[in-house]
Amino acid sequence: MTKYILSASVLLSLTLSAQSWSVQPRILQQGGVLVRQNRRTLAVSASVDNEPTAAPATEITQEEEECLTQQLISKLRFRELQAHLAQRGLPTDGTTGQLRDRLREAVGLDTVCIVDEDNMGDDCGPTGMENIVTFVDESDPDYEVKELQREIKEKSEMGHWKAATRKLKKLTRRVQRETPVPVDVLEAVLEACMASRLQGARAAEPARKVLEQYVEYGYPIPEAAGNYCVKNCLGETGPQSTHQGFGGIDTALAMLAALEQSVTSIQMETYDKVCVALAKEGSMKESLKLLRRMIVDMSEIPPLATFAAIAEAAVADPDSGLEKWVLEVLTLAKAAGFELDNIAKTQDGRAILAAGVVAAERQKNLNLGLRLLTAARSASTDDQACDKLVANYNRASQRASVLIHKEAINKAVTDGQWKLAVRLLELKLERGLRTSPWIWRNVVTCCAKEEKSRKATALLLDWVRMHEEGNADKPPLNVFNTVVNACEICDEHELTLLVLDSMKKTHDTEGNIITFNIALKRLAKQGSQQSCEGIIIGMLQAGIEPTVVSYTTAIAACVNAKESKVAYEWLKRMRSRLVNPNSLTYNTALAACLDGTLESSLLASKIAGEWVEDIDKQLAALADREETFDQYTTVIPDSASKYLSRRVLGQLDEAVSKGEIDERVVEESVRKPLMAISDFDQSERAGQSQKIMERAAKVEEDQVLTTSQNEMELEYETASKAHRTAEV
């Protein structure tokens, strides 16, 4: 027998109003949101290890805390709920429903279920006409429940997962806590949601709620189904690992929490996928925490692909600052039993090492970057150069490898470690990394400065060979000049000819200023100033204009021959050819005047006076420009200048003491130019020159200035030796 029964609220409403009837269902008004009293009371249970599955992804502000409402709590995702609970010092473990109830209790709200929770429809009691008239079958009180169960199974078998989940919600409202939804009904709905990889992740949230109902009713979650749901609610390319806006990390973590609470065995592949998804999102700390738990607490060995995916995610964005976590990935890989010296044999191992190289370059850790490439080299075979594969794994690793080698080579050059610089250059070439001309130049010059003429020659010839093969830029003329100078210093005449032949072939020239300067240097060493004059005349006849180096070398011959007048004559000649002397030229001319005679001392004073005039002209010319001093044209005195001028002053004092010249004459005219050079550092001119040097523009290569100075030292080697000889 069936009856239609009017509810008491309807009767009361009809009694109070004759014009219209209304009903007050068990819907409460709270905080501007319609809610109903929840029949459930969930126990707060701890997870297996009393820790949250993942730490909150964001911090909660005080303003957000104060704005918590029933509706807002119903929309919070898994990690957002954890963040709010952690802010209050409350446990952050449990399912999504448990976390929401715990948060509601913490903020003083009734434990209620909210309309449209998780955007999945009304989870409150019946509304509208269902609340006014209730159908009761007195012959079978369980008829409606059984009918709903039948309909749920029918819809599930048909694959209508949306209808099945809606009816499951309706069934959940009908049954009491003491009479849970049968497990076969939950299984049917879960299978419908699981079809087609959770319906393309659109059924991820309904599947999560079903899994949490398993936990609520005390049913064990099927291992295969639970792991399948976690893995397939994670997308590959969407934000937070969603698939077209559905599923995502929070849903996966909530499912994972349900599996752990149900003591369901979680597959390693499931943990792997969650770890990688967290890393791709940027939650490296949480990803590595879960990875460490797998290795340390569970004694599991994740596949190398997991470490590779996490490491690659850490360096994917150069502006994220996450590269610092790559070192921990390498540490965990080693803890899992993988040897860095062997992993480069596999694609995933090379990916890990490549990410490590990128991270090392961004953190300016040259030693780590080189160590990882060395580890890859250890795994190489006759058929496979693993360090080359790692260095060129992708564009990021290739760029990082180039920069690491460049910085390491520059540091070795700065420290004068020519063997290390050469070895690093060789490794860079073996790893297929293109080398800029400046790196070649730095290493060649370093070897030349250390008077390793044979090694410098070998490197230059290798450079020429690679240029001919199309694998390197053409060596510039000044590099040939540097190597020739080194060979001359070491008396390697055969090597000199070899380098000159290579220069002629590379630059298609039979001779240039370099060859003439070599002849000048040889004659200057012998003090043959007349022969030097013949060479310069020959240069002019051949149409080759002598440089400041040529004239300075000719003046150096005058030092050895003690011909101060000839030295001064060279100064006048070079000016007549519009070649201005530089500080090294003036130093050499002063050195030629150190013969102990008054005549040479007076000539030195004249040279110093002209030098001071050139200094003033150069300072005035550069005062209003952005330029700085050029190493070949600067006339700013150096330490050698001060020493040589003081030596000349000493000669003048001796001449005064011998009565060769009146002291008053010396003080009034002769000493002043020499004092201006010797006391340059204390003068106003020194301050002006310092300001000009401070605005020197930074060049692309750190070693350009150092290398250029080294090259100049080699080029002026004969003049420099003349200085030292004169000083002694």
Side-chain angles (χ1 to χ4, degrees):
M1 177 179 181
T2 61
K3 296 181 180 180
Y4 290 93
I5 302 176
L6 245 58
S7 67
S9 61
V10 175
L11 293 175
L12 177 60
S13 176
L14 291 174
T15 303
L16 295 176
S17 176
Q19 296 180 352
S20 63
W21 59 275
S22 62
V23 57
Q24 297 294 327
R26 288 191 297 125
I27 303 293
L28 307 179
Q29 184 77 19
Q30 182 167 347
V33 183
L34 291 177
V35 301
R36 80 169 175 86
Q37 293 181 347
N38 190 359
R39 296 190 299 258
R40 299 178 300 167
T41 302
L42 295 180
V44 178
S45 59
S47 64
V48 177
D49 57 357
N50 292 321
E51 291 184 0
T53 304
T58 57
E59 294 184 357
I60 305 302
T61 65
Q62 184 65 27
E63 183 179 357
E64 291 173 329
E65 285 287 342
E66 295 174 353
C67 293
L68 284 177
T69 63
Q70 291 281 10
Q71 190 172 20
L72 179 59
I73 292 176
S74 73
K75 306 301 180 186
L76 293 177
R77 304 298 297 267
F78 186 76
R79 286 181 292 175
E80 294 171 335
L81 290 165
Q82 287 186 321
H84 280 284
L85 291 170
Q87 194 85 357
R88 292 173 168 78
L90 297 174
T92 57
D93 54 281
T95 63
T96 304
Q98 292 170 344
L99 296 179
R100 283 179 177 148
D101 286 342
R102 195 176 304 158
L103 183 57
R104 289 176 184 132
E105 292 176 358
V107 298
L109 300 175
D110 292 334
T111 305
V112 291
C113 92
I114 308 301
V115 174
D116 198 27
E117 181 164 290
D118 283 321
N119 297 316
M120 292 180 62
D122 186 3
D123 195 26
C124 301
T127 61
M129 292 303 297
E130 286 185 83
N131 196 54
I132 299 174
V133 180
T134 304
F135 177 81
V136 178
D137 187 347
E138 291 184 342
S139 63
D140 187 2
D142 297 330
Y143 171 79
E144 184 180 7
V145 172
K146 293 178 180 178
E147 183 64 16
L148 279 173
Q149 293 177 3
R150 184 191 65 78
E151 292 176 356
I152 290 171
K153 291 180 179 179
E154 179 182 345
K155 295 294 184 182
S156 297
E157 291 176 358
M158 296 172 63
H160 297 172
W161 61 275
K162 289 185 178 180
T165 54
R166 285 196 295 268
K167 290 184 178 295
L168 177 61
K169 290 173 68 66
K170 185 176 181 180
L171 176 62
T172 303
R173 292 197 299 265
R174 291 289 185 270
V175 299
Q176 301 295 325
R177 174 72 175 143
E178 292 75 13
T179 56
V181 176
V183 67
D184 59 333
V185 174
L186 295 179
E187 289 177 351
V189 177
L190 186 59
E191 288 179 3
C193 291
M194 289 168 54
S196 300
R197 301 185 66 179
L198 294 179
Q199 309 295 337
R202 288 174 297 170
E205 278 297 319
R208 187 266 301 169
K209 297 201 76 169
V210 173
L211 293 178
E212 292 183 352
Q213 282 185 283
Y214 270 92
V215 176
E216 179 182 347
Y217 297 134
Y219 299 142
I221 299 175
E223 177 184 341
N227 284 275
Y228 180 89
C229 289
V230 175
K231 289 183 287 188
N232 286 280
C233 79
L234 293 170
E236 296 295 334
T237 58
Q240 296 185 334
S241 294
T242 56
H243 180 72
Q244 296 182 348
F246 298 99
I249 298 175
D250 280 284
T251 304
L253 292 174
M255 291 179 176
L256 202 61
L259 293 179
E260 291 177 344
Q261 203 163 345
S262 178
V263 198
T264 301
S265 178
I266 302 175
Q267 300 169 359
M268 186 57 54
E269 184 182 354
T270 303
Y271 278 124
D272 291 341
K273 195 157 187 180
V274 174
C275 279
V276 173
L278 285 168
K280 288 182 177 179
E281 181 200 40
S283 302
M284 293 300 303
K285 186 175 181 180
E286 293 75 25
S287 175
L288 293 175
K289 181 178 179 180
L290 185 56
L291 185 63
R292 188 184 305 108
R293 180 181 170 194
M294 295 161 58
I295 297 170
V296 178
D297 298 341
M298 302 177 185
S299 299
E300 297 285 354
I301 301 179
L304 205 55
T306 302
F307 296 95
I310 296 174
E312 288 181 318
V315 298
D317 184 359
D319 299 323
S320 66
L322 297 177
E323 59 272 357
K324 61 183 179 181
W325 297 105
V326 175
L327 186 58
E328 186 166 349
V329 175
L330 295 170
T331 302
L332 290 174
K334 189 173 182 180
F338 296 105
E339 292 293 335
L340 295 182
D341 291 342
N342 293 325
I343 62 175
K345 295 178 180 178
T346 66
Q347 179 76 7
D348 294 326
R350 291 192 287 272
I352 295 173
L353 294 177
V357 171
V358 174
E361 187 277 321
R362 291 180 187 170
Q363 298 179 84
K364 307 302 179 185
N365 192 338
L366 302 182
N367 291 335
L368 175 61
L370 294 173
R371 169 67 182 90
L372 294 175
L373 289 171
T374 302
R377 188 179 181 85
S378 300
S380 298
T381 61
D382 295 338
D383 301 329
Q384 190 179 53
C386 293
D387 55 337
K388 184 176 181 179
L389 294 175
V390 169
N392 297 277
Y393 186 80
N394 52 34
R395 291 182 63 183
S397 65
Q398 187 180 59
R399 176 183 179 276
S401 298
V402 169
L403 292 176
I404 285 173
H405 283 84
K406 185 196 81 169
E407 295 298 331
I409 290 172
N410 287 343
K411 188 176 186 304
V413 170
T414 302
D415 297 339
Q417 300 182 27
W418 68 272
K419 288 185 178 180
L420 178 60
V422 170
R423 180 55 182 158
L424 289 170
L425 177 60
E426 291 173 348
L427 288 173
K428 187 177 183 183
L429 296 173
E430 290 175 7
R431 289 162 180 165
L433 302 172
R434 191 169 182 86
T435 303
S436 70
W438 277 112
I439 296 298
W440 278 104
R441 175 183 168 186
N442 289 343
V443 179
V444 171
T445 304
C446 180
C447 293
K449 184 182 179 183
E450 297 297 323
E451 299 185 2
K452 305 300 177 182
S453 56
R454 295 187 179 183
K455 178 55 70 175
T457 301
L459 287 174
L460 178 57
L461 295 180
D462 286 342
W463 188 358
V464 171
R465 176 182 53 78
M466 292 187 66
H467 163 66
E468 293 172 349
E469 295 172 353
N471 297 323
D473 296 330
K474 181 190 292 187
L477 272 172
N478 61 342
V479 177
F480 287 94
N481 188 24
T482 299
V483 177
V484 166
N485 286 326
C487 294
E488 285 297 297
I489 293 171
C490 299
D491 293 327
E492 295 281 359
H493 301 304
E494 292 183 1
L495 290 181
T496 300
L497 295 176
L498 184 63
V499 174
L500 288 174
D501 288 341
S502 179
M503 179 196 68
K504 293 174 184 177
K505 180 180 178 182
T506 303
H507 290 277
D508 192 22
T509 176
E510 291 298 327
N512 63 2
I513 190 66
I514 297 176
T515 55
F516 284 104
N517 282 345
I518 290 171
L520 279 172
K521 289 175 185 179
R522 291 180 180 175
L523 294 172
K525 288 179 182 179
Q526 301 170 7
S528 181
Q529 55 90 13
Q530 291 181 348
S531 299
C532 289
E533 183 178 5
I535 292 293
I536 290 183
I537 293 174
M539 293 171 68
L540 294 171
Q541 291 175 346
I544 298 175
E545 190 66 38
T547 65
V548 64
V549 177
S550 308
Y551 287 112
T552 303
T553 305
I555 294 173
C558 299
V559 176
N560 297 329
K562 298 187 181 298
E563 293 284 354
S564 58
K565 291 182 180 180
V566 178
Y568 182 69
E569 188 64 29
W570 278 119
L571 285 176
K572 293 193 294 184
R573 288 184 183 180
M574 66 187 297
R575 288 195 186 97
S576 68
R577 302 294 301 181
L578 301 180
V579 179
N580 295 321
N582 57 24
S583 56
L584 282 170
T585 309
Y586 279 118
N587 285 344
T588 309
L590 286 183
C593 297
L594 295 177
D595 58 3
T597 65
L598 175 60
E599 185 179 10
S600 294
S601 300
L602 295 175
L603 188 56
S605 177
K606 187 176 182 180
I607 292 172
E610 295 174 358
W611 190 353
V612 172
E613 290 178 4
D614 283 350
I615 293 173
D616 291 337
K617 290 178 182 178
Q618 191 171 70
L619 291 176
L622 296 176
D624 299 327
R625 300 181 187 176
E626 293 300 323
E627 303 173 15
T628 186
F629 299 109
D630 179 81
Q631 59 180 338
Y632 286 98
T633 61
T634 179
V635 292
I636 302 302
D638 55 18
S639 58
S641 309
K642 290 180 284 185
Y643 179 84
L644 292 169
S645 60
R646 288 169 186 168
R647 285 284 306 276
V648 175
L649 288 170
Q651 285 188 169
L652 283 172
D653 291 339
E654 290 180 7
V656 170
S657 64
K658 293 179 181 179
E660 296 178 359
I661 188 172
D662 185 78
E663 182 176 2
R664 185 172 54 184
V665 175
V666 172
E667 294 295 334
E668 289 178 356
S669 58
V670 181
R671 291 178 62 88
K672 287 184 180 180
L674 293 167
M675 290 295 296
I677 300 299
S678 64
D679 297 338
F680 181 82
D681 289 345
Q682 288 77 41
S683 67
E684 183 179 347
R685 297 184 181 95
Q688 295 175 4
S689 66
Q690 183 63 31
K691 291 180 181 179
I692 294 174
M693 286 188 288
E694 287 176 355
R695 67 177 185 230
K698 292 183 178 179
V699 290
E700 179 183 358
E701 297 286 342
D702 296 336
Q703 289 300 314
V704 170
L705 182 59
T706 301
T707 298
S708 298
Q709 290 172 343
N710 291 338
E711 290 175 343
M712 190 172 68
E713 288 180 13
L714 290 165
E715 198 163 20
Y716 282 101
E717 183 266 341
T718 302
S720 298
K721 282 188 175 180
H723 297 173
R724 290 191 289 271
T725 302
E727 292 170 11
V728 174

